Amino acid sequence: MIKAIKGEFRRAISLRLLVILLIPICLPMDTIVDWQWFFQSERLSVFYFYFHAVQFGGLFGRHFVSVFSAVPFCLSFVDEYKNGMSPYLYIKSRTPKRYLMAKHIVSVVTGGLTMAVGTALFLGGLACFLPLIHENDMLESLAYYPLLRAGNGEGYFICAVYFAFLSGALYAGVASVVSACVPNRYITAASPLVFSFLLSQSGISENSMFLFHLSRVLSMRMRLGSGSIAMSILYATAIVFFIVAVLGMVFVWRARRRIVYDA
C-alpha cells in the first residue's frame, strides 16, 4: 500500500498543482467592492476578508473555490480510463484494491493540501498589509472566539488553514467517487462545487441535521461538543476521516466495476 501511495504521489506532482495560486485570487472575489478601501480604512483586517470569504462567503469563497481541490489528482482516473490505461494498470498491480485505494488517498490528500496551502497564501498575503484582527472583530458569538482573543489571533488562522484542509479533503473524496461513476473530466471537476452548494443549502434548513452541522463545522461557525476547542477539532477530524474512508470504499467498488465490467 505504501509503495503504491508513493507512486501515485509522484504522479500527482505536476503543473496541475499551480491551481493553488488561483485560490488566493478566488477567495476575495465576493468582497471585491471592499478592496477600494484596502489602503484607506483602518478598520479592515485579515479576519474581515476571511470571514466574508469563507464563513459568510458567496459563490466564489464557499463554492467555486472547491473545484480546485479536484484538479491536482482526482482527474487521473478519468484520464487513465479514457486512454485505455486503467485495465493495464489494474492487472499490473499485484493488489488491485490497494492500487485503487492508494489513488483515492492521494486524491484526498492532494485536494486537502491544495485548499490548505491556497488559504495560507491568501491569509499570508493579506497579513503583509493588514493586521490579523481588529477590535471590531471580537464577537463572542463566534465559535472559535477564544482563539481570536488569545494573542494576536494566530491560533484562529492556523485553525482556518486546517479546516481548509479538511474541506478540501472532503471535496476531493466526493470528486474521486464521481470520477469512477461518471468518467468525465468536466463533471468530475464540477462535482465539488455541486456538493459544496448542496452542503450550504442544508445549512439553511435543519431538515438534514447531519449535513446541517457538517456545513457549519467546516466553515468554523460551530464547535462540536461542550468540551475544549482541541476536542472539537478532533471530533471534526474524525468525522471527515470517516466520511472520506467510506467514500474510498465506494470508489474502490465502483472503479473496479468500471474497469473489469466497463459498467
Side-chain angles (χ1 to χ4, degrees), residues 11-23 64-79 106-108 110-112 114-115 168 171-173 175-176 185-193:
R11 295 186 56 215
I13 301 175
S14 66
L15 292 177
R16 289 180 180 178
L17 290 176
L18 291 178
V19 297
I20 292 174
L21 302 178
L22 297 178
I23 295 178
F64 187 76
V65 72
S66 63
V67 172
F68 301 131
S69 63
V71 174
F73 199 70
C74 292
L75 303 178
S76 64
F77 179 80
V78 176
D79 294 338
V106 174
S107 296
V108 167
T110 54
T114 297
M115 290 293 292
Y171 294 145
S176 179
R185 290 174 58 87
Y186 301 105
I187 294 178
T188 300
S191 59
L193 187 151

Side-chain angles (χ1 to χ4, degrees), residues 30-239:
D30 292 312
T31 55
I32 195 169
V33 176
D34 297 319
W35 286 87
Q36 61 181 318
W37 312 110
F38 191 82
F39 294 105
Q40 301 178 21
S41 177
E42 296 181 354
R43 302 181 62 180
L44 293 180
S45 64
V46 175
F47 174 81
Y48 175 88
F49 285 100
Y50 171 78
F51 178 82
H52 286 83
V54 179
Q55 296 189 1
F56 194 64
L59 175 63
F60 292 95
R62 292 191 62 186
H63 304 311
F64 187 76
V65 72
S66 63
V67 172
F68 301 131
S69 63
V71 174
F73 199 70
C74 292
L75 303 178
S76 64
F77 179 80
V78 176
D79 294 338
E80 291 173 1
Y81 180 78
K82 291 295 185 180
N83 294 330
M85 292 294 295
S86 293
Y88 169 75
L89 295 173
Y90 182 83
I91 296 173
K92 181 182 177 182
S93 176
R94 295 181 178 178
T95 52
K97 289 185 179 180
R98 292 184 181 180
Y99 155 72
L100 293 174
M101 182 56 73
K103 185 173 288 295
H104 176 76
I105 292 174
V106 174
S107 296
V108 167
V109 173
T110 54
L113 289 176
T114 297
M115 290 293 292
V117 175
T119 301
L121 290 175
F122 168 68
L123 298 174
L126 289 176
C128 295
F129 305 97
L130 297 174
L132 290 179
I133 55 176
H134 187 272
E135 58 181 8
N136 294 334
D137 300 330
M138 298 295 184
L139 302 176
E140 295 186 10
S141 59
L142 294 172
Y144 289 85
Y145 169 75
L147 292 180
L148 200 62
R149 183 183 59 186
N152 194 30
E154 293 92 344
Y156 184 91
F157 295 103
I158 292 174
C159 280
V161 172
Y162 180 70
F163 275 98
F165 173 83
L166 292 181
S167 299
L170 183 60
Y171 294 145
V174 172
S176 179
V177 172
V178 172
S179 70
C181 296
V182 185
N184 181 285
R185 290 174 58 87
Y186 301 105
I187 294 178
T188 300
S191 59
L193 187 151
V194 176
F195 176 74
S196 174
F197 178 77
L198 294 176
L199 199 62
S200 66
Q201 292 304 303
S202 70
I204 297 176
S205 171
E206 297 190 18
N207 292 331
S208 178
M209 293 302 297
F210 178 75
L211 293 178
F212 170 74
H213 292 310
L214 182 62
S215 173
R216 295 176 61 83
V217 167
L218 292 179
S219 59
M220 294 182 68
R221 290 179 293 163
M222 174 183 173
R223 284 165 53 184
L224 294 174
S226 57
S228 64
I229 290 178
M231 288 303 299
S232 177
I233 295 174
L234 183 62
Y235 291 149
T237 302
I239 291 173

